Structure formats: C-alpha cells, structure tokens
Amino acid sequence: MPASASSAPPPPTHSRREDLIGRLSSSSTEAKLKALRDLKNQIIGNRTKKLCFLKLGAVPSVTSILSSSSATAAAAAAGSVCSGNDVELNDSLILQSAAAIGSFACGFDDGVKAVLDAGAFPLLLRLISYPNDKVVGAAARSLKFIYQSKLAPRYDFLQGNNMEFIQSLLNSENENVTGLGASIITHSCWTSMEQKALSDAGIIKKLTCMLGGSVTQKDASLESLATILKGNPEVISKFTEPENGGALGTVTELTKDKNARTRLLACICLIVIKNSAPSCLQDLRIKTKLILILLELLDDDQVGDEAPFALSSLIAEKEDLQVLAFEANVIDKLVNHLRKAPVLSRRLEGILIALANMCSRLERCRDRLLSLEAMKFVTDALSQDSGEVRAAACVCLKNVSRSVKNLSAGLFMNESFVAPLVQLLFDDLTFVQVSALDAISNIVVDFLAHKTMFMKCGGVKQLVQLSKSMDATIRVKAVCALRNLTFLVSDKCKEEILSELTQLTLRSLIWILRLVFKSKL
C-alpha cells in the first residue's frame, strides 16, 4: 500500500530553503510578506542558517523587495493613486525587508558584506525620513547592526551638512534613531579634529542628555562619549565643565547601574578620561572603585569577556594603579577565573593581558603570580587554537620573566616554557611570532647554564631563519633574541650558535644590530 501523505518524509532542508528564496519573488504581496517573516525567524541568532541563505542569494532578493517597495511608496507620495490597504501592505513589505536585512547584518561580518554589496545601505538610510515611524525604527535598527561592524562605511562629520544630519538623529524621539546616531559616532570618529568638531557642535551635550534615557540609549551614549573623549584632553576639559550638566558625575553614577553592560561602559568612559586627562579624575576612591567593579563584572555572563580588557587599560603602565589592584587581590581573583575550566578564548585573552599588565613593573606581582602556581595556565595558553590567546600568553610570560632573580634561578629555561615558545616561532600569524620573540628575548637572558635547552628545541636555528625574514619587525626582534642568547653563555654554547651562522649571516646580524642601537640613541 502506498504511504499516506502524512507519513511521507519531509523534503530536504536545502530544498525548503530554496523554496523560501523562490517565494521572495512571488507576484503576491502576501506571499512575499510571509516569506520575509519566515526568513527572518529562521536566521535570527543563527550564524549557520545566515550563511546558508547568503549562499542561496537571499540578501539580493530581500534588497530587491526593499527597493521596489520603496519606489512604490515614493510614487504614492508623489500623487499616484494607491488605496489605504495597498499603502499598509507596502509599508509592511518595507518594514519586514528592512528587518530581515538587519538580521543578516547583526553580529555577522559576512552578512554585513552581503548587505553592502547588494546596495541595501543607501535604501535603509533614506528610510530614516519615512513617514511611518515603525518603518523608521526598523531601518535605524538595521543600520545600527551594520555600524557595529568594521566593514560599515565611515561617516565624514566634516563634510557638507553631515553634522546637521547627526544632530537630527540625536534629536529624534525614536530610540532606534538616536541609537543609530550614537553608533555612527562610535564607528566613525577617528581624529582629534573630528572629536573637536563634534564637541563644538554640541553633540556631547546631546549624548549626555541620553544618559537619562533607556538602557539602550545609555549604553549607546556611553560608547560614543568614550570615542569622542579618547586621547583628547581639550575635549575632556569641556566635558567636565558645569555647563554640560554635571556630565562627569552622571557617568560616575552609572557605574552603580543595575545593568552590567551600562556599568562596564561607564567604567570604560571614566578610564578614557583618567588615561587622557589624569587631573580630571584624581580621586583615589574612584580609582579603587573602578578596579572593584571590573573585578565584579568578570563574573557576569553578558560582559565578563570585556571586563579584563577594561581593567588592563586602567592599570597598563601605571604603577600606582597596579599597587591599588594588587592590594585589591586582583591577581588572586584573575587566577581563580583561570581555574574555572573551560575559559572561553576572548575572556582567557583578556585575563592573560590583565595579568601581564599587573606584572609589567612590580616584582611583588610577579612573585604572587608564581606563588599561585599560575604559570601552568600561561604555558597551556601558548598552545591554544586562538592566535590572540597565544600572543597574550607570550606577553604575560615576557612580563613575568622581567624578574632578574627568577631569570638568575633559571626558572623559565625549561621545556614546559621553551618548547611551546620555539613552536610559536613557526606560527602562521605574524603578530604571534612577534610576541613569541619578545618573550624569548627575555627568557634567553638566563644567567645560568640552562641555555642548551633552547638549542635542543631548535630555537637557535629558527631565530637565524627569522633574522632573514622579509618582515622588518620579525627580523630585528630575532636578531635581538640571538644577541640576548649569547649573554654570559658558555664556550660550548657559543660554538653551537656559531655553527648555525654563516659568515655572511653574521655580518648581516651585526649590521642590523648597529641600526637598532643607532635608532635608540
């Protein structure tokens, strides 16, 4: 007996997706609307499905709907006959296609590229002045997703009436539109001239007003403020003036906000002020408070990956803040996080960088990290899949090995450190090789006769090879590492090193070293 329709197997997933793409070209408006909703629901938060639909050409199809629907709306606005029901359906098409484009762009660079290539960006931008507020909100939300990507087109604030456009966005009563304005600033403000222009145009005051709005507005405003203030003492000085309505106090108060992301962004904004204009933020209590808040945020699922990077930017190259952080048991708490396996790559990278900064100047920090037997986590990280984690582990090892007493004891010249570091000299990523060379340059200064370990692992041979690299940074760092390796080395080791060097190579290394020392004079 033939199988009933209800028991027949469902069509293959690929066929169902192709069918959905086909329905986007339907002559029926209702069929298009249903296809857009189905597509949007399938891809929201699902990178795999987004990629599948990208390959099937979904974005150009959706952009085509947005384009034709926008043209129909423009014709209707120009006086063409169009019933109220037709207008409503057409607006729904515009809204759903704009939202679907945003779903492709949300947190997905491949999606952003497809959206830009399809020509959707200018269509969305024109919708910001559309008479239907829901359509405006959908377009602004999609543009915000695009502006969260590095691929988004950069906005020129100094060109024509562009500053007026940003002001109009920030003056909007639509939360998505004000958020878009803030996102454009965060993405596009790169120079001190642009920072000053935004400040002079009163943008800081508008962003400060947004700090009293919704969570979305607060967060977007804090990110934009940090961008405008970063590295610009003149603009920071204006920001802290009373005429800005106690903006600094408002940001400080937001470090207590119930929303974790808002607290983090408020901390980052204060760190930017502290780093760029230290005189504006001298209160010791605020500095200590920032350290404690960032430590607390390490435990948060939402922002725990970013908190250690913020902590690093606060304490980097600042001995007074490293002392405060040490007294707040920062090293112990960071190491405790490393003990919580597994630590995801982004958070692990941040923690390693924070530990590296803690150990950059203070011997007591290095001693504490070693006493906690935390170097096992660092050596494990040297073999991580993530290149950023491998590089961060090298930076941490470099700073911990700045300790003369530990180098003298030959603490780092053992196989657990040396073997993975030498392996990183072969890494495919240049920035990882550079970080490994920095760590090796410190470790091979070893004051005792442990350097044969480095040679047995093939380190000398690879350093010689890298000294001939086409990359100038790698070439110089490899030569410096070879120079450090010969410090207080035995005659036997010298012979082994020289056996790897031809006379021509040696002359080349001497020439490079002369250039290095000359540049430092």
Side-chain angles (χ1 to χ4, degrees), residues 51-64:
L51 193 57
C52 288
F53 279 109
L54 283 185
K55 290 176 179 177
L56 291 172
V59 171
S61 297
V62 175
T63 302
S64 177

Side-chain angles (χ1 to χ4, degrees), residues 157 163 166-167 169-171 177-186 189 195 198-199 201-214 216-229 235 239 244-245 247 250-251 254 269:
F157 303 103
M163 190 67 78
I166 290 294
Q167 288 175 320
L169 295 180
L170 296 177
N171 284 330
V177 176
T178 56
L180 170 61
S183 295
I184 291 173
I185 292 169
T186 301
C189 182
Q195 290 172 320
L198 287 164
S199 175
I203 297 298
I204 285 180
K205 190 173 286 187
K206 294 181 186 299
L207 291 171
T208 303
C209 291
M210 285 170 59
L211 293 176
S214 67
T216 302
Q217 287 179 314
K218 287 177 189 175
D219 291 356
S221 176
L222 286 166
E223 284 188 285
S224 294
L225 284 171
T227 301
I228 296 173
L229 299 174
V235 174
F239 174 74
N244 276 317
T250 303
V251 173
L254 287 175
C269 203

Side-chain angles (χ1 to χ4, degrees), residues 16 56-57 65 94 121 133 147-148 153 193 241 260 277 283 298 307 354 380 389 413 445 516:
R16 292 201 300 272
L56 291 172
I65 295 174
I94 295 174
F121 183 82
D133 197 52
Y147 269 106
Q148 287 168 2
M193 188 180 294
E241 288 175 356
D283 192 332
L298 270 171
D380 287 347
V389 171
M413 194 58 77
V445 177
V516 172

Side-chain angles (χ1 to χ4, degrees), residues 11 23 30 51 71 85 102 123 129 149 156 177 180 213 216 249 265 273 277 303 315 346 353 357 371 390 409 442:
R23 287 189 282 123
E30 288 82 357
L51 193 57
N85 188 49
L123 296 173
S129 57
S149 167
D156 188 350
V177 176
L180 170 61
T216 302
L265 292 172
I273 294 169
V303 300
I315 63 175
R346 178 68 177 167
I353 292 293
N357 280 315
S371 71
R390 297 196 299 275
N442 272 14

